[in-house]
Amino acid sequence: MGAYRWNAQYLAFANRIGRAVRKERDLLLSAFLKHQAEQLSTRAPYNGTVRGRAAARRRSRALKVEFLARRFPGKKRRILRRPEALLFNPKPDRVRDELVPGFLQSWVPMRERLRQKDCLEVDWKGFSFARDPGGTLKKLADLVRASASRADLHLNFLDSICDDVTPYLVLAHLRSSLPPVISGGRVSTEIRDVIEAVGLRQSLRMGQLRRAKKEKDYSVSAFPITTRTPPGAFGDEDHQLRPQFKEFVADQFVDTLNGWIGEHDLELTPDAAGSFVRVIGEALDNAERHGDAIEGAEGDWSIAAFSRLFFDSDRAPLLRCSVGIVSVGATISESLVSAAKSVEDAIAKYVGLHSSPLTSPARREALRTVMALQDGITRDPEAALAGRGGVGLMELIDIFAELGDNGRGNLPSAFTIVSGSTCIRVTAPYQQGERRTGRLRELWFNQGNDPGVPPSKEHVMSLDHAFPGVILSACFTIDPANLWKKLDDGDAHAAAN
């Protein structure tokens, strides 16, 4: 009876609104659609009979068409499919407004967009920070600009494979700050499966995705998207005394990674697992502490990863892996403003060595970011005085380089860092730091790994768009057979000694 009663109530409401539309020609469009959206979101779902559900939907659609036809006669109204878009009120958003600084100024009210008759098709290919960091940020910025003025967009993901989950984390953040005018579009099977596996379907506002047939040649295993839990969210005052959420996430991530390679009878050693937990936890901790370098506000982060099993021409199993960490807040360069004087002096010396008074601020930011990667460079003055800290990023680079060392030249690994307008691509031949002096590692992105030589512009570059925070993207391919070979060679070397 509940379902029948609700359907009757909804039809009564729809008829009442219909009478108001016919009587009051000046009824505001937003007020009308607000009532419609409230009824659809707060009332019980259409769980009555098929006839009852169909009648309620037909009546609701007829009322909207009737009302909009009165206000906009003779116009094609694509926006009718998404009435909630007409109620969208843009608010400031740090990521969106950094990508497109004039977004709020270029905003076109939704009612004025109803005059548009065409749908904008947006085709994305090469949507990957590993392959094209500058182009990927540009795609996101172009989407933001289009959503400020268009009434209907179709977003097509044209890549046949997904090698980087990180841009989808950024897109998920952006979608919450954009009007719901993006719909439809084509998507490949692999991208569809990755989005579903990491739990991004709802955040990206995609409809129900069909799962691909589970085959041995085509399986996706994921570490679902996890975002930061604000302090005190558990409802107590001693949350700092318990294991932190970021520590739990780091443990879970290592368990997931062990599950990926465990299918091939491999497992991280206790030392490697401990290092992974430590550096992942430190990366998330840095994201929280670098929320605002001036005011001391805490930042937010999200992390996700996936592994895709495939086979080479000899039917040897391989794992294509992607790990993405996105934090919104201060850039790496900005986070160093509170560093100890000795660290500030070292940074100033390096930047001054490779710049002049005419050097652009973006290039100076890039040089400061390169310096921040080196062991021993930390924003914490106490850690710098004690000679500790500042090894997290280099440790993370080393670990992913070791995992991606598959001995195959056609399957290189890439660790990409985007912070502000700076992009650093840690790829061959500059993939790991070297211990030039003592125990500290250095990576200067030049042939001699020399701090006195400028870094390669192919590996350290300035982008046309900026991201307010830090994007860490690790893309690598694991060859279980190669890992077994390295283990066997290590055992043989130990036995010989």
Side-chain angles (χ1 to χ4, degrees), residues 356-417:
S356 69
L358 299 179
T359 301
S360 66
R363 186 58 182 172
R364 290 178 178 273
E365 177 192 81
L367 293 171
R368 287 173 59 86
T369 306
V370 170
M371 192 65 185
L373 299 185
Q374 315 309 315
D375 276 354
I377 302 299
T378 175
R379 65 168 285 187
D380 187 347
E382 295 182 2
L385 290 174
R388 57 181 174 80
V391 298
L393 273 175
M394 195 66 75
E395 189 75 14
L396 205 59
I397 289 171
D398 277 2
I399 289 177
F400 285 127
E402 288 291 339
L403 284 173
D405 182 17
N406 51 46
R408 297 169 180 258
N410 62 332
L411 296 174
S413 63
F415 188 89
T416 307
I417 302 170

Side-chain angles (χ1 to χ4, degrees), residues 314-360:
D314 297 326
R315 301 300 298 168
L318 299 169
L319 295 173
R320 183 194 303 129
C321 305
S322 169
V323 181
I325 301 176
V326 177
S327 64
V328 178
T331 65
I332 293 176
S333 176
E334 291 170 343
S335 69
L336 294 173
V337 298
S338 62
K341 188 177 185 306
S342 60
V343 174
E344 287 183 352
D345 292 343
I347 295 172
K349 180 180 178 181
Y350 178 73
V351 174
L353 187 62
H354 303 299
S355 62
S356 69
L358 299 179
T359 301
S360 66

Side-chain angles (χ1 to χ4, degrees), residues 54-82:
R57 289 170 179 164
R58 284 197 304 271
R59 184 58 179 157
S60 174
R61 183 166 57 250
L63 287 172
K64 285 184 284 189
V65 171
E66 178 185 356
F67 181 78
L68 292 175
R70 287 175 179 273
R71 295 194 65 87
F72 305 97
K75 303 297 181 183
K76 194 171 183 178
R77 295 168 293 277
R78 288 181 174 274
I79 200 93
L80 290 179
R81 292 202 300 264
R82 293 173 300 281

Side-chain angles (χ1 to χ4, degrees), residues 48-182:
T49 63
V50 173
R51 179 174 297 180
R53 294 195 301 270
R57 289 170 179 164
R58 284 197 304 271
R59 184 58 179 157
S60 174
R61 183 166 57 250
L63 287 172
K64 285 184 284 189
V65 171
E66 178 185 356
F67 181 78
L68 292 175
R70 287 175 179 273
R71 295 194 65 87
F72 305 97
K75 303 297 181 183
K76 194 171 183 178
R77 295 168 293 277
R78 288 181 174 274
I79 200 93
L80 290 179
R81 292 202 300 264
R82 293 173 300 281
E84 65 275 15
L86 292 162
L87 307 176
F88 184 84
N89 183 27
K91 298 178 181 179
D93 179 80
R94 193 166 186 175
V95 175
R96 183 200 66 203
D97 297 340
E98 184 78 15
L99 281 174
V100 182
F103 177 83
L104 294 177
Q105 288 72 29
S106 61
W107 175 260
V108 177
M110 284 293 173
R111 294 176 63 184
E112 298 180 12
R113 305 186 198 185
L114 293 179
R115 297 176 176 85
Q116 299 174 7
K117 297 182 179 181
D118 59 329
C119 173
L120 178 64
E121 295 285 339
V122 179
D123 297 334
W124 279 1
K125 195 168 186 178
F127 191 52
S128 166
F129 287 112
R131 283 178 282 158
D132 186 8
T136 297
L137 272 189
K138 183 180 184 300
K139 290 179 176 65
L140 293 168
D142 289 344
L143 183 69
V144 171
R145 292 190 189 93
S147 67
S149 59
R150 302 292 304 192
D152 199 6
L153 290 88
H154 283 180
L155 183 55
N156 302 310
F157 298 97
L158 302 183
D159 289 316
S160 59
I161 65 170
C162 181
D163 61 354
D164 189 2
V165 71
T166 321
Y168 298 95
L169 294 178
V170 181
L171 177 60
H173 178 97
L174 278 176
R175 287 300 299 266
S176 64
S177 67
L178 302 180
V181 297
I182 306 169

Side-chain angles (χ1 to χ4, degrees), residues 182-302:
I182 306 169
S183 66
R186 290 167 287 163
V187 59
S188 70
T189 301
E190 181 168 329
I191 293 176
R192 178 188 65 202
D193 284 357
V194 168
I195 289 173
E196 184 74 38
V198 300
L200 281 172
R201 181 176 63 82
Q202 291 184 342
S203 299
L204 294 176
R205 297 177 184 171
M206 289 186 171
Q208 187 67 41
L209 301 175
R210 296 172 299 170
R211 290 184 176 274
K213 183 189 294 186
K214 293 301 178 184
E215 300 175 358
K216 188 176 182 182
D217 285 10
Y218 196 90
S219 63
V220 174
S221 177
F223 179 79
I225 180 174
T226 306
T227 57
R228 185 200 176 206
T229 300
F234 294 100
D236 54 24
E237 297 180 355
D238 62 345
H239 63 278
Q240 295 286 358
L241 303 179
R242 295 180 286 97
Q244 297 297 289
F245 182 60
K246 54 181 171 286
E247 298 170 0
F248 170 76
V249 171
D251 285 333
Q252 291 292 103
F253 178 81
V254 171
D255 289 343
T256 301
L257 180 58
N258 263 327
W260 294 348
I261 63 177
E263 295 290 332
H264 307 277
D265 299 322
L266 291 165
E267 184 179 10
L268 293 174
T269 65
D271 288 344
S275 296
F276 228 135
V277 169
R278 185 179 67 255
V279 296
I280 292 292
E282 183 173 341
L284 301 182
D285 182 65
N286 286 337
E288 293 181 8
R289 293 189 292 112
H290 297 174
D292 192 312
I294 305 299
E295 299 180 1
E298 294 186 343
D300 294 325
W301 51 259
S302 57

